């Protein structure tokens, strides 16, 4: 009896989220990750709810996913790391850019373009921003197989024109948020997903919700789609 009690306690502890501050923003706000799912994860998933602080619907997907995985191991061999906002200063101020006026999704070092300014200000140099460096360090440390970054307001799943395309297409089917056909030829210099794909071979893509607040059922369907996609890829 004692033994089974101990075993039960251990498995509950394993299933509890492991919260970790992975870095800090320009204004010293913590950037926090929750690890959930199977602690023996061989397949590692990252979900980022928001990197542009005025695009907030993906944070609801993260909350929903966390709820769904709470107290459960979730799918076997799959570990899920969630970051509600990689831009907590922008989230607090409800601005696209970080507190230093940089578009973090143009600040990653792969194909960084220093000529961008205004709304897409790429920063004074590649990875100049603490939030960018936090996500780079974190990605390198964990080594993600799959990464999904939520944005707004285009209302489609962006399928890259590389081998990740098939998985973005499957996600589009599972979530009900279509790609609009074909793959996305526009290059986004200094973006998080192209850096992850290039550096770690991570399957990484962007999901763009439409503008405004999404229905609760849509948020729930995206949370399920993340898990279903990971299961299909594993
Ligand atoms: Zn965005």
């Amino acid at each position: 009896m004692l033994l089974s009690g101990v075993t039960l306690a251990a498995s509950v502890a394993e299933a509890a989220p492991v919260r970790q501050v992975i870095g800090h923003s320009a204004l010293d706000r913590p950037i926090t990750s929750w690890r959930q799912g199977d602690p023996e994860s061989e397949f590692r998933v990252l979900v980022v709810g928001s990197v542009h602080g005025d695009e907030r619907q993906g944070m609801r997907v993260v909350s929903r996913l966390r709820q769904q995985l709470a107290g459960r191991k979730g799918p076997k061999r799959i570990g899920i790391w969630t970051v509600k906002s990689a831009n907590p200063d922008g989230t607090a101020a409800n601005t696209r850019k970080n507190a230093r006026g940089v578009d973090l999704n143009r600040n990653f070092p792969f194909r960084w373009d220093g000529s961008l300014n205004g709304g897409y200000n790429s920063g004074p140099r590649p990875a100049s921003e603490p939030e960018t460096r936090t996500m780079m360090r974190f990605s390198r440390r964990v080594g993600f197989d799959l990464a999904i970054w939520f944005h707004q307001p285009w209302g489609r799943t962006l399928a890259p024109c590389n081998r990740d395309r098939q998985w973005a297409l499957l996600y589009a089917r599972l979530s009900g948020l279509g790609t609009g056909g074909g793959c996305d030829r526009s290059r986004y210099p200094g973006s998080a997903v192209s850096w992850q794909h290039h550096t770690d071979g991570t399957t990484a893509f962007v999901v763009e919700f439409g503008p405004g607040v999404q229905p609760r059922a849509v948020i729930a369907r995206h949370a399920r789609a993340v898990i279903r996609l990971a299961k299909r890829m594993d």
Side-chain angles (χ1 to χ4, degrees), residues 52 55 96 151-152 208:
H52 291 140
E55 302 167 4
R96 173 184 179 88
H151 287 260
Q152 283 182 275
E208 286 259 357

Side-chain angles (χ1 to χ4, degrees), residues 4-199:
S4 69
V6 167
T7 308
L8 181 65
S11 77
V12 168
E14 276 168 9
V18 178
R19 294 171 214 207
Q20 193 190 14
V21 174
I22 56 171
H24 290 85
S25 67
L27 298 181
D28 213 30
R29 287 193 171 89
I31 300 173
T32 307
S33 130
W34 286 33
R35 178 169 71 77
Q36 291 171 285
D38 193 335
E40 309 290 316
S41 56
E42 287 159 20
F43 191 86
R44 300 175 167 206
V45 182
L46 170 68
V47 180
V48 180
S50 177
V51 63
H52 291 140
D54 56 351
E55 302 167 4
R56 314 176 79 90
Q57 295 304 293
M59 299 197 300
R60 294 175 59 208
V61 176
V62 165
S63 298
R64 178 75 193 202
L65 253 176
R66 287 176 176 178
Q67 250 172 39
Q68 218 165 299
L69 293 166
R72 277 189 258 161
K73 273 195 178 181
K76 266 207 170 118
R77 295 193 310 277
I78 296 175
I80 300 185
W81 282 254
T82 51
V83 174
K84 211 171 227 183
S85 174
N87 178 12
D89 297 341
T91 299
N94 201 32
T95 57
R96 173 184 179 88
K97 296 182 276 186
N98 76 348
R100 287 150 43 98
V102 174
D103 182 340
L104 298 173
N105 206 35
R106 299 290 180 278
N107 188 239
F108 284 74
F110 181 64
R111 290 202 181 122
W112 181 81
D113 178 353
S115 71
L116 300 176
N117 46 40
Y120 298 102
N121 176 12
S122 53
R125 60 187 180 279
S128 57
E129 302 310 299
E131 297 89 346
T132 309
R133 292 195 298 274
T134 293
M135 295 311 291
M136 289 171 62
R137 209 168 46 231
F138 180 51
S139 297
R140 284 203 179 110
R141 175 165 65 77
V142 180
F144 294 107
D145 299 287
L146 167 66
I148 301 176
W149 296 66
F150 285 95
H151 287 260
Q152 283 182 275
W154 295 354
R156 57 197 177 88
T157 298
L158 304 190
C161 295
N162 56 36
R163 65 185 154 74
D164 297 349
R165 175 170 176 260
Q166 54 172 324
W167 301 116
L169 289 175
L170 177 57
Y171 182 89
R173 263 211 327 273
L174 295 170
S175 68
L177 186 61
T179 60
C183 62
D184 199 63
R185 293 211 173 275
S186 22
R187 282 189 179 166
Y188 306 100
S191 77
V193 293
S194 53
W195 179 82
Q196 285 184 313
H197 176 85
H198 176 77
T199 308

